[in-house]
Amino acid sequence: KAGDTLILLTDVNGDITVPAGVIFNGNGFSVNGTLSADGDITFEGVTKVTHFSMNHVNTTMKIVSGASLQLTGSGRIVVGYGLTFIIEGNLEDAKNANKEDLVPSFVVPCGMSITGNGVTFNVTNACVSFGNTSSKNSAANDTFNINFTNSIVDFTSQFILSEPTNGKNPTFNVNIVDSVVNATGK
């Protein structure tokens, strides 16, 4: 229940739904299936998961310093629904850090789709890696706050904020402070 910590002691083959307010510690093991958050969730330890789902409105996903959430499947994570992402690492100086020595706090190899109802995405003192990341030009709406502070952010493909269609009028506030951002595309 909320406030409890769930610690994996072995790999899990199948889907897991985590109740709202639970702290999830993958303990270096894998969820070979979908990990669904039924509300706010905090990650500790290293968690590898095939798919991650958090489709609840106005909830928070937090990855604490020293933790890592690594998606291993082919799905893209959907960023929207008024979600708040808080990713905290332990980098002291992102501009001079050796990326090869770091375990990224958040890895999404197939990228993110930025959709409607806004989002706050805060990355502080962390290393994160995303594949093809873009706003969905037919659905992105509301305000999106994307903040990178003293962080290393790799878009291993491209990072696109598309001109909206269908009468949508999103606002994107992208703040990059003392960070290194790499993208192979736009």
Side-chain angles (χ1 to χ4, degrees), residues 4-10 12 16 18 22-31 35 41-48 62 64 66-69:
D4 288 345
T5 300
L6 175 67
I7 302 172
L8 292 186
L9 300 177
T10 187
V12 175
I16 297 177
V18 179
V22 166
I23 298 167
F24 190 89
N25 186 333
N27 200 23
F29 293 104
S30 298
V31 176
L35 176 65
I41 188 169
T42 298
F43 286 96
E44 294 179 344
V46 175
T47 302
K48 297 176 184 176
K62 183 174 185 178
V64 300
S68 178
L69 175 59

Side-chain angles (χ1 to χ4, degrees), residues 72-96:
T72 60
S74 59
R76 291 164 59 91
I77 191 167
V78 177
V79 175
Y81 309 102
L83 296 176
T84 298
F85 290 79
I86 301 169
I87 302 170
E88 301 170 342
N90 51 18
L91 282 177
E92 292 182 19
D93 183 0
K95 292 181 181 179
N96 293 305

Side-chain angles (χ1 to χ4, degrees), residues 152-166:
I152 298 172
V153 184
D154 283 333
F155 295 101
T156 58
S157 181
Q158 55 192 357
F159 177 55
I160 301 172
L161 302 176
S162 300
E163 180 75 21
T165 60
N166 300 336

Side-chain angles (χ1 to χ4, degrees), residues 37-40 54-60 80-84 116-118:
D38 210 16
D40 294 348
M54 191 172 173
N55 292 334
H56 296 276
V57 176
N58 299 323
T59 53
T60 299
Y81 309 102
L83 296 176
T84 298
N117 302 321

